[in-house]
Amino acid sequence: MCFALMMVISQETNLLVLWAGFVLIAFLFYFPFKIFISTEINMSFSNDMDDEYEKLFRRLNPPRVVIDNEACKNATVIRVDSANKHGKLLEVVQVLTDLNLIITKAYVSSDGGWFMDVFNVTDQDGNKVTDEAILDYITKSLGTESCFTSSMGSFGVKQSIDHTAIELTGSDRPGLLSEVSAVLAHLKCNVLNAEVWTHNMRAAAVMQVTDDETGSAITDPEKLSRVKELLCNVLKGSNKYRGARTVVSHGVTHTERRLHQMMFADRDYERANNDALDEKQRPNVSVVNWYEKDYSVITIRSKDRPKLLFDTVCTLTDMEYVVFHANIDAEGPEAHQEYYIKHVDGSPVKSEAERQRIIQCLEAAIERRVSEGLKLELCTTDRIGLLSDVTRIFRENSLTVTRAEVTTRAGKAVNTFYVSDASGYPVDAKTIDSIRQATGQTILKVKGSPEELKPVSQESPTRFLFGGLFKSRSFVNFGLV
């Protein structure tokens, strides 16, 4: 009896061992196979499942963030160590630039499936970053807890998704934004936030709007269709050779990231044969192959400005190049960037045509954010049609806007834009007086004298307007750029 009982127990034990072995083998083969399939074949697994894989990957390879305020005399040193993947460098740079930190130096190395990034950063005033809330935010955003989604909004601001996002691309021309904003006002759409870039006779905008009747996202399918139709007609204008595009969606997007992607997809880097832009105004970009190490080396020299590193890394990522090593030095008026890259397929630059395309795309990425002329900052209580009204005022005063940012917080509209007159020259004092009269009770400040501004080349790729721009206010600050 005992012998029979022992045999049964032994058999059950063997079955349990076999079953455990089967489960272990299934785990080892099934999950890598599932990850491989979802990556290579791009099957439609749910976002929740993708998030779980991302979390598992990060737990197995936790990033390490070290912030040191003692190692450097005049900057905060941030080091990030993590498993490498395509786009990782951009994600890190995006977190830092979204906090409006200035990256003065950077070192990147990512051989062997692991990357190490070291950044010297300061605040807007050139001081070390000492705010514990910001330092804690950086650690969490770049550390194990992060999925790199927190950088979608500004630090300390909870970004609502209860709006409709409108993405616009088309040919730039004087008064375009005035027409776009007039259409939105006519359809009872209120512009909460917007950013507009113009480059090489092309224009792109990302706008967050709400339905004025509900104060939230536009949900009526007929109204959404009408918005797309009318805006697309405005963007097309009389240009039959370059297309226009209007996309309406819901949710949160990283505005500057999308603007780079939109203008890249629109091929704003392609210059016309008669483009007479002074070569001295363009950034110096070179691309050579380092055959011993099988890298391509990109060297960029340009005037330094905020978010320059984000703009170049963003473009390299969109072009599907992986940065293996990089050295960045932006402590002086000129920034020097050096990237050692390969395509995602593992190859360096293969042809002269590919080399020229990289140069053109990086030049465009840097130029898109370059701001010419006079900087204007306005703030007032937000209301529907405000953007349309102010745009009309600037258009009537022959102002050209090359770049603009519109934000709304707690019922207040705060806007920044860069303007010159329609001929490409800075705004004169008479125009400023005219604007003051048209906007009503305003306070106007001028940093420096407009007459002292040097003329802007009329052949600038951003000389045309995406309209005048945005919001009136009880405070208007004009600062020279």
Side-chain angles (χ1 to χ4, degrees):
M1 181 71 177
C2 292
F3 178 79
L5 181 61
M6 290 176 63
M7 288 293 295
V8 170
I9 294 174
S10 176
Q11 291 177 0
E12 290 181 350
T13 303
N14 290 337
L15 287 174
L16 288 173
V17 171
L18 289 173
W19 176 250
F22 175 79
V23 171
L24 178 61
I25 292 173
F27 179 85
L28 292 176
F29 284 93
Y30 174 72
F31 282 97
F33 177 77
K34 192 172 182 67
I35 295 173
F36 173 80
I37 292 297
S38 64
T39 302
E40 300 296 328
I41 307 181
N42 196 28
M43 294 182 67
S44 58
F45 293 108
S46 69
N47 291 332
D48 291 340
M49 188 67 72
D50 290 339
D51 290 342
E52 290 303 317
Y53 292 140
E54 178 69 14
K55 291 177 182 177
L56 175 61
F57 178 79
R58 293 177 67 83
R59 289 192 187 102
L60 295 176
N61 303 277
R64 181 169 179 262
V65 181
V66 177
I67 301 177
D68 191 345
N69 263 321
E70 303 298 329
C72 182
K73 181 180 179 180
N74 54 5
T76 299
V77 179
I78 300 174
R79 192 181 77 189
V80 182
D81 300 325
S82 176
N84 192 25
K85 69 174 184 178
H86 181 54
K88 180 72 69 177
L89 175 60
L90 174 61
E91 292 172 343
V92 176
V93 172
Q94 181 174 303
V95 168
L96 299 178
T97 55
D98 283 352
L99 290 169
N100 292 318
L101 300 180
I102 306 299
I103 300 174
T104 58
K105 281 190 175 183
Y107 170 79
V108 176
S109 180
S110 62
D111 275 346
W114 195 262
F115 86 96
M116 179 184 72
D117 294 350
V118 180
F119 300 91
N120 286 16
V121 303
T122 67
D123 61 19
Q124 292 287 308
D125 298 322
N127 302 317
K128 291 184 179 182
V129 183
T130 57
D131 188 325
E132 290 297 330
I134 294 179
L135 296 178
D136 184 62
Y137 178 85
I138 293 172
T139 301
K140 291 181 178 179
S141 297
L142 300 180
T144 308
E145 300 177 20
S146 169
C147 290
F148 292 102
T149 56
S150 56
S151 60
M152 287 295 188
S154 300
F155 170 71
V157 177
K158 184 178 180 181
Q159 187 168 357
S160 171
I161 62 172
D162 195 17
H163 61 254
T164 299
I166 301 177
E167 299 178 355
L168 308 172
T169 53
S171 297
D172 190 25
R173 67 177 187 272
L176 180 57
L177 183 59
S178 178
E179 297 176 40
V180 168
S181 57
V183 167
L184 292 173
H186 175 71
L187 294 173
K188 303 298 182 183
C189 299
N190 189 37
V191 180
L192 297 181
N193 301 286
E195 189 152 351
V196 181
W197 288 0
T198 62
H199 175 252
N200 198 20
M201 306 302 298
R202 305 298 294 171
V206 175
M207 296 181 165
Q208 297 173 1
V209 304
T210 57
D211 190 329
D212 187 56
E213 294 181 357
T214 63
S216 58
I218 304 171
T219 57
D220 184 354
E222 292 186 4
K223 187 168 185 175
L224 285 173
S225 178
R226 187 65 173 161
V227 168
K228 289 184 63 175
E229 178 185 0
L230 293 181
L231 289 179
C232 197
N233 290 339
V234 169
L235 290 168
K236 287 179 179 178
S238 59
N239 193 324
K240 300 179 181 179
Y241 303 101
R242 292 295 297 269
R245 186 168 180 264
T246 303
V247 176
V248 177
S249 62
H250 299 285
V252 176
T253 184
H254 190 276
T255 301
E256 294 173 344
R257 180 87 172 93
R258 282 298 300 143
L259 285 168
H260 273 302
Q261 292 173 330
M262 291 159 61
M263 299 203 86
F264 174 74
D266 195 46
R267 301 201 306 262
D268 72 314
Y269 53 84
E270 295 180 348
R271 300 184 183 276
N273 294 331
N274 61 351
D275 185 2
L277 179 67
D278 188 349
E279 291 291 339
K280 294 182 180 180
Q281 296 182 22
R282 290 182 182 170
N284 186 340
V285 183
S286 65
V287 181
V288 297
N289 279 354
W290 185 12
Y291 293 103
E292 293 181 5
K293 298 294 184 179
D294 209 27
Y295 291 126
S296 291
V297 183
I298 299 174
T299 303
I300 304 172
R301 292 184 181 273
S302 66
K303 183 179 179 180
D304 188 33
R305 59 166 176 75
K307 301 189 178 181
L308 179 63
L309 180 59
F310 171 81
D311 295 336
T312 54
V313 172
C314 185
T315 296
L316 288 173
T317 304
D318 289 341
M319 296 182 73
E320 298 192 324
Y321 289 103
V322 179
V323 176
F324 286 86
H325 303 279
N327 286 290
I328 312 299
D329 187 349
E331 288 190 307
E334 183 180 74
H336 177 264
Q337 303 181 39
E338 188 176 59
Y339 300 98
Y340 295 77
I341 67 162
K342 292 181 183 180
H343 194 267
V344 289
D345 64 9
S347 65
V349 175
K350 299 178 182 178
S351 66
E352 177 62 19
E354 182 181 2
R355 189 180 76 88
Q356 289 297 328
R357 186 169 181 264
I358 293 174
I359 292 174
Q360 290 178 347
C361 290
L362 287 173
E363 287 178 347
I366 295 171
E367 292 169 355
R368 286 170 195 149
R369 206 192 287 267
V370 172
S371 304
E372 303 170 348
L374 201 65
K375 178 181 178 181
L376 294 84
E377 296 178 355
L378 296 94
C379 178
T380 189
T381 301
D382 188 36
R383 61 176 174 79
I384 189 169
L386 179 60
L387 176 58
S388 177
D389 293 341
V390 177
T391 301
R392 175 179 50 79
I393 291 173
F394 287 114
R395 183 179 182 182
E396 290 172 351
N397 283 275
S398 300
L399 293 186
T400 296
V401 176
T402 59
R403 186 165 66 89
E405 299 175 15
V406 178
T407 58
T408 303
R409 294 288 182 269
K412 292 288 185 180
V414 181
N415 311 282
T416 302
F417 50 95
Y418 300 83
V419 300
S420 59
D421 68 16
S423 61
Y425 290 91
V427 182
D428 61 23
K430 292 181 179 179
T431 302
I432 294 176
D433 290 339
S434 178
I435 295 171
R436 176 185 294 155
Q437 294 175 8
T439 54
Q441 298 297 321
T442 62
I443 299 174
L444 182 147
K445 294 183 180 180
V446 179
K447 296 180 180 180
S449 173
E451 289 80 7
E452 294 176 358
L453 288 176
K454 296 180 180 179
V456 180
S457 171
Q458 295 186 28
E459 296 298 329
S460 166
T462 58
R463 69 185 177 94
F464 280 137
L465 206 139
F466 197 91
L469 256 197
F470 313 80
K471 324 239 172 189
S472 94
R473 156 193 196 187
S474 54
F475 169 71
V476 182
N477 176 34
F478 291 76
L480 301 187
V481 181

